[in-house]
Amino acid sequence: MSSSPRAAERTLARFAPSAARRRRDLLARRIVLVGTILALIPLVLILYYLLSKGLGAWSPSFFTSDPTGNTFFGAAKIGGIKSAILGTIEMVALAGAIAIPIGVGVAVWLVEYGRDGWFAQTVRFFTDVMTGVPSIVFGLFVYIALIVGTGSSYAAYKGSIALALLMLPIVIRAGEVVLLLVPDSLRESGLALGAPRWRVIGSVVLPTAVPGMLTGMLLAIARAAGETAPLLFTAAATHETSFNLGGFMNSLPVQIYSDVTSPTAAVVERAWGAALTLVLMILILNMVARLIARRSRLA
Amino acid sequence: MMPPPDPGSKVAEMDPEGRPEVHRSEATSADAPAGGLRQRITGEPPTAAESEPQPEPVTAPAVQVEGLRAFYGDSMQLKGIDIEFRANEVTAIIGPSGCGKSTLIRCINRMHEEIPGARAEGRVLLEGADVYDPSVDVVAVRRAIGMVFQKPNPFPTMSVFDNVAAGLRLTARRRENLNQKVEKALRGAGLWDEVSDRLGQPGIGLSGGQQQRLCIARSLAVGPEVILMDEPCSALDPIATLRIEELIAELKQRVTIVIVTHNMQQAARVADRTAFMLSGELVEVGPTQTIFTKPADSRTEEYVTGKFG
């Protein structure tokens, strides 16, 4: 049975959207577009100000000299941010070395052993609560526990502990999500070969999850690198480059915080330069994380 | 019987080696491994593939299931199963979805209990020893009773070689002659000729049928005495299915095989004996020919003639 061209026309007309629906569709699209543009405005402005004010502070000596603390004799004498960059890298690296093994361990336990038991659910609940705790509270906790409590002084490693506490819930949650993506069929075939569970986890589950895990870890590191509050009264602020994790240590966020309140224009400009440096460091970490995530074999 | 392979199908193009050549598969069986069991008993090092004679059949153990009841939480999935899987035979388990076929074979190597809330009661005897005895190490049971799953699932981070070697590495077996053992397992799974030049490439890069034979090689490498197959061909095209079925016929020289299948033609092609299950109970078991032509139970007859299921 062949259909006539007229029948086809009638069917097409029946499938065509009505004028009212086209109007609603257009309106909805425009609302969504306006919302997106509004959200982009502050982002673009931040980047614009960072670049316009921060680039002026940049010079080779900006990255290779420590701040002098001498703020009254113009831009030439105030020094750079070398100690802050190195301090941030050192403290965040130590924080990662503390938080990542513990966090991965918790994630493995939650997914592979705790599952839906009451203790696992309790751990999940407190992890979620920890994610929402303001960063200054972690700083305060370490200040009271390790500085006031022990009657000792500020130290870089105490700052790292505060940062590690901040990173821990992010690492646990990211790790758990990725481990849940590893198909159960892989665990089953490992177990069916006669492999003990811990070997299946170590040789099959974790290697499959590594790319996704790395993404979560790098995001946690990026988050910690930008935090001021946990370091303010744990690692203190100082000028000299230090490789002693037991002593005072400078960091980019703390340096920005103290510089931006200075009455000297050159010092405020240094804060912008430091802020641009920090944003670029975090941007690079995020890009690396995305690159690794794209290579991941899990969805 | 089997639907004719579609010559235009993509998989057929991808897997030209999968063609059912009888001579070729015989040649493959000539240098197939004599099974880890024989080697373990005799202690003989594996000989070079070319000079190895036709492997003598190895006596594999029979499996007796007695009064097996399996539970998921409070619901009973197997309601007291008694069945024997005879040595060096292929037993097919057929039945409608949800009848407990998979649960039954997962109870044999104690994979059932890996599911949270699942447990089993009763006895599963391997050479007379109950695998549910409290003194038994569940890990050792699974080395003796291998399993092949419905969907081919090579380890995604591992190469072809490492996938087969994983069986040995993960179980901390002796690692000498790893190369030879891997080759032997791959020959045993009829895959060696297709992958010998790309052992270092990812296992998930193979075609679906090759992946499933890789999984069979992976379980063969550990040297099982019994192999459980849970609908091993349901994700494969007809040509790859035929290759697996040929392989099953070869493997039963050395191991006892239990295969769950939804495909009654497959049961008729590969199984010496067939068991029919319904709602967690074993309706009947007997020679495949008998089950399909003169079943004792009317429910079996209705199922095999397509009246339900």
Side-chain angles (χ1 to χ4, degrees):
Chain A
M1 199 176 90
S2 67
S3 51
S4 69
R6 287 201 49 171
E9 237 164 70
R10 273 203 306 275
T11 312
L12 272 181
R14 198 152 55 85
F15 289 160
S18 70
R21 250 193 62 189
R22 261 183 232 164
R23 272 199 307 278
R24 280 203 302 275
D25 176 56
L26 200 65
L27 183 69
R29 281 175 197 239
R30 281 183 183 155
I31 291 173
V32 174
L33 184 67
V34 168
T36 310
I37 289 168
L38 280 177
L40 279 174
I41 288 172
L43 201 72
V44 170
L45 283 179
I46 288 173
L47 283 176
Y48 170 74
Y49 274 99
L50 267 179
L51 285 169
S52 69
K53 299 210 171 192
L55 274 177
W58 277 18
S59 67
S61 71
F62 183 73
F63 299 104
T64 55
S65 63
D66 289 341
T68 58
N70 185 342
T71 58
F72 298 106
F73 298 99
K77 299 276 178 68
I78 60 169
I81 57 165
K82 179 182 151 214
S83 66
I85 295 174
L86 289 173
T88 284
I89 293 173
E90 285 173 62
M91 281 192 284
V92 170
L94 178 61
I98 298 168
I100 288 171
I102 297 176
V104 171
V106 173
V108 166
W109 184 83
L110 283 175
V111 173
E112 306 291 336
Y113 295 96
R115 293 177 185 178
D116 294 329
W118 68 269
F119 186 60
Q121 297 291 17
T122 314
V123 171
R124 272 187 202 105
F125 174 74
F126 281 108
T127 309
D128 283 346
V129 171
M130 252 175 102
T131 317
V133 169
S135 58
I136 196 160
V137 176
F138 290 116
L140 209 58
F141 169 72
V142 171
Y143 175 71
I144 288 167
L146 294 180
I147 293 170
V148 175
T150 61
S152 56
S153 176
Y154 298 131
Y157 80 87
K158 292 171 187 173
S160 292
I161 290 173
L163 291 180
L165 289 175
L166 183 99
M167 289 168 70
L168 198 55
I170 306 173
V171 175
I172 293 172
R173 280 317 229 173
E176 200 191 352
V177 167
V178 176
L179 284 172
L180 281 172
L181 280 179
V182 176
D184 269 337
S185 67
L186 291 182
R187 294 182 181 89
E188 287 211 321
S189 48
L191 291 172
L193 286 174
R197 183 170 278 274
W198 66 272
R199 295 218 56 148
V200 175
I201 294 169
S203 303
V204 178
V205 177
L206 281 177
T208 311
V210 156
M213 289 251 196
L214 277 178
T215 312
M217 322 279 108
L218 288 180
L219 291 177
I221 286 173
R223 167 85 199 278
E227 284 293 341
T228 320
L231 298 175
L232 269 179
F233 26 77
T234 53
T238 181
H239 299 308
E240 296 80 29
T241 296
S242 162
F243 296 102
N244 173 17
L245 287 162
F248 289 15
M249 196 176 277
N250 201 2
S251 62
L252 279 168
V254 173
Q255 167 121 37
I256 294 166
Y257 175 78
S258 62
D259 279 359
V260 91
T261 52
S262 162
T264 312
V267 178
V268 174
E269 200 187 15
R270 182 172 68 190
W272 282 105
L276 181 61
T277 310
L278 181 60
V279 166
L280 273 184
M281 283 168 66
I282 291 170
L283 191 73
I284 289 167
L285 268 183
N286 271 305
M287 278 178 358
V288 171
R290 276 172 174 266
L291 227 99
I292 294 170
R294 204 173 295 166
R295 292 230 179 137
S296 166
R297 290 199 176 89
L298 299 171
Chain B
M1 297 283 278
M2 202 181 79
D6 174 8
S9 91
K10 197 176 159 209
V11 187
E13 283 168 19
M14 277 165 51
D15 189 5
E17 297 294 312
R19 237 172 275 127
E21 297 166 20
V22 176
H23 296 296
R24 207 177 140 281
S25 78
E26 270 173 13
T28 311
S29 88
D31 33 44
L37 186 63
R38 176 171 163 237
Q39 199 188 320
R40 221 175 338 163
I41 293 167
T42 59
E44 283 170 9
T47 45
E50 280 74 20
S51 63
E52 194 176 334
Q54 187 78 23
E56 291 161 32
V58 176
T59 311
V63 177
Q64 274 112 13
V65 174
E66 294 178 356
L68 184 70
R69 304 200 299 162
F71 302 83
Y72 292 101
D74 290 332
S75 88
M76 182 156 54
Q77 175 72 6
L78 293 181
K79 301 163 183 169
I81 302 275
D82 294 277
I83 187 172
E84 179 183 16
F85 301 108
R86 293 186 182 169
N88 294 92
E89 281 194 2
V90 178
T91 307
I93 305 176
I94 59 170
S97 297
C99 71
K101 309 182 292 287
S102 295
T103 307
L104 172 58
I105 67 164
R106 289 172 63 91
C107 283
I108 296 172
N109 68 343
R110 295 186 60 176
M111 284 299 289
H112 176 65
E113 64 208 62
E114 290 299 330
I115 297 165
R119 67 196 165 85
E121 292 170 3
R123 305 198 324 151
V124 174
L125 304 173
L126 183 71
E127 283 176 324
D130 183 9
V131 303
Y132 282 95
D133 191 90
S135 69
V136 162
D137 178 10
V138 61
V139 162
V141 168
R142 292 177 191 152
R143 284 176 203 164
I145 308 178
M147 191 162 210
V148 177
F149 295 87
Q150 185 170 355
K151 237 182 100 195
N153 53 4
F155 297 134
T157 55
M158 296 185 196
S159 65
V160 170
F161 182 94
D162 287 341
N163 258 287
V164 181
L168 299 160
R169 288 180 177 143
L170 289 173
T171 55
R173 284 295 178 85
R174 281 183 294 167
R175 288 184 199 179
E176 60 259 36
N177 304 327
L178 194 60
N179 289 336
Q180 284 179 49
K181 286 176 182 171
V182 168
E183 181 178 340
K184 224 171 178 210
L186 281 169
R187 285 186 188 278
L191 193 59
W192 176 254
D193 296 335
E194 292 159 56
V195 301
S196 58
D197 57 339
R198 44 176 168 161
L199 293 173
Q201 288 175 24
I204 48 172
L206 301 178
S207 75
Q210 289 172 328
Q211 285 188 26
Q212 192 62 300
R213 279 180 282 144
L214 180 64
C215 293
I216 293 174
R218 181 173 67 186
S219 67
L220 280 179
V222 189
E225 298 148 34
V226 178
I227 294 188
L228 310 170
M229 297 184 167
D230 192 353
E231 297 184 42
C233 303
S234 64
L236 305 182
D237 68 283
I239 294 170
T241 299
L242 189 59
R243 291 282 284 144
I244 304 271
E245 289 176 3
E246 287 173 356
L247 184 57
I248 290 172
E250 283 166 26
L251 289 175
K252 75 171 181 179
Q253 305 293 314
R254 301 181 293 279
V255 294
T256 302
I257 295 175
V258 183
I259 177 171
V260 165
T261 179
H262 261 293
N263 180 333
M264 280 184 273
Q265 284 77 29
Q266 180 168 64
R269 285 193 297 265
V270 302
D272 299 296
R273 288 161 65 78
T274 296
F276 173 60
M277 285 181 70
L278 195 59
S279 320
E281 287 171 39
L282 179 69
V283 175
E284 70 174 296
V285 58
T288 300
Q289 184 83 23
T290 313
I291 294 290
F292 282 101
T293 53
K294 298 189 286 289
D297 195 291
S298 62
R299 290 171 296 174
T300 313
E301 185 176 7
E302 281 172 23
Y303 185 74
V304 298
T305 54
K307 290 212 176 83
F308 77 98

